[in-house]
Amino acid sequence: MLEKSLVWYASYGSNLCRDRFLCYIQGGTPQGSNAYECGCRDRTLPAEDKHLFIEHPLYFAGYSRRWGGGVAFIGSREDKHVNPKSSTLVRMYLIKQEQFGDVVAQENSVSFPVIIPWEQVVEEGKKDLIDSLYGRVVHLGEREGFPIFTFTTARKFEGYTAPSESYLKMLINGLKEAHSYSFSPEQVWGYLADKPGVKDNYNQGRLRELVKSCW
């Protein structure tokens, strides 16, 4: 399986938005961010993208200088600080293994290359590679013969952090692109409204306005 050069990268935060993700592939500054991304060494566009649900809870915590607020992470079923029954909407991009490592490097502001021990991640389910916000690589199964990977945090936060409006709008736009055929604006609002980091920090009326402004 891992002899193939392509892997699915499953995104659940701002990279749900294709234009934002392509800044990691080809370089550029995403709308709403204050950071220029250098892009991958290989700038080949994703071969394909698809949507998926994963059985991992979504929450917002930490602080990103790129976005000026909390950012999205997924937990595992054993995490007690989030609802283990909740699922997360993701968008998968079929990219080269080297590109996945370069995206991990850019997310964590470290130098290329980041070497992914693919077989070990598959065997153990996850692997902590970098002491940074997105330093944990997670295996999520496979689809169409290619393995699915994502990254999240290994850090334990004292509490949740409100994401900035620009970050939420990027995420909402990505949900619209990937899931609008089956999700209405009201359903996207409902999906986000109960997520830790949003639930206790956003006025629900304002959240509805943000969702509608992206539709």
Side-chain angles (χ1 to χ4, degrees):
M1 176 181 66
L2 293 175
E3 292 179 356
K4 298 181 179 180
S5 63
L6 298 178
V7 297
W8 291 107
Y9 159 52
S11 58
Y12 53 84
S14 61
N15 287 335
L16 284 163
C17 183
R18 183 179 175 88
D19 284 348
R20 189 273 171 272
F21 176 62
L22 291 185
C23 288
Y24 278 142
I25 299 295
Q26 298 187 311
T29 302
Q31 183 178 358
S33 173
N34 58 18
Y36 175 81
E37 311 299 348
C38 64
C40 293
R41 290 168 291 173
D42 182 333
R43 302 197 173 200
T44 304
L45 293 174
E48 200 170 354
D49 73 75
K50 293 182 179 292
H51 66 276
L52 189 72
F53 289 86
I54 59 172
E55 297 303 318
H56 291 259
L58 178 72
Y59 64 97
F60 297 84
Y63 182 83
S64 168
R65 288 180 294 177
R66 283 184 174 94
W67 297 102
V71 287
F73 301 102
I74 56 165
S76 56
R77 285 186 173 275
E78 63 266 23
D79 290 334
K80 304 301 182 184
H81 63 297
V82 287
N83 181 2
K85 296 181 180 180
S86 63
S87 59
T88 296
L89 301 172
V90 303
R91 185 178 194 174
M92 302 192 307
Y93 301 94
L94 191 59
I95 60 176
K96 296 182 180 181
Q97 292 180 359
E98 178 189 279
Q99 289 177 310
F100 183 92
D102 288 354
V103 172
V104 172
Q106 291 174 83
E107 281 280 9
N108 291 288
S109 300
V110 299
S111 301
F112 298 157
V114 171
I115 305 301
I116 311 293
W118 302 106
E119 287 82 2
Q120 188 176 6
V121 177
V122 171
E123 182 179 349
E124 299 178 5
K126 60 188 177 184
K127 181 68 176 177
D128 296 338
L129 299 180
I130 305 167
D131 182 17
S132 188
L133 276 181
Y134 287 105
R136 171 174 288 176
V137 176
V138 182
H139 177 235
L140 297 171
E142 68 173 73
R143 184 164 178 174
E144 298 178 358
F146 298 101
I148 307 169
F149 297 96
T150 192
F151 38 80
T152 186
T153 192
R155 296 180 178 179
K156 301 298 182 184
F157 300 104
E158 293 184 1
Y160 305 114
T161 310
S164 66
E165 288 194 359
S166 60
Y167 184 81
L168 269 185
K169 288 178 72 173
M170 186 69 70
L171 193 153
I172 292 165
N173 279 321
L175 289 171
K176 176 185 176 183
E177 290 176 9
H179 294 274
S180 63
Y181 75 97
S182 59
F183 280 83
S184 66
E186 191 68 14
Q187 287 171 313
V188 169
W189 170 83
Y191 170 73
L192 293 172
D194 68 344
K195 297 295 184 287
V198 173
K199 180 178 179 180
D200 297 324
N201 292 299
Y202 266 85
N203 175 279
Q204 299 304 295
R206 179 55 185 154
L207 182 60
R208 274 194 172 93
E209 290 176 1
L210 282 177
V211 173
K212 290 181 179 178
S213 72
C214 297
W215 228 258

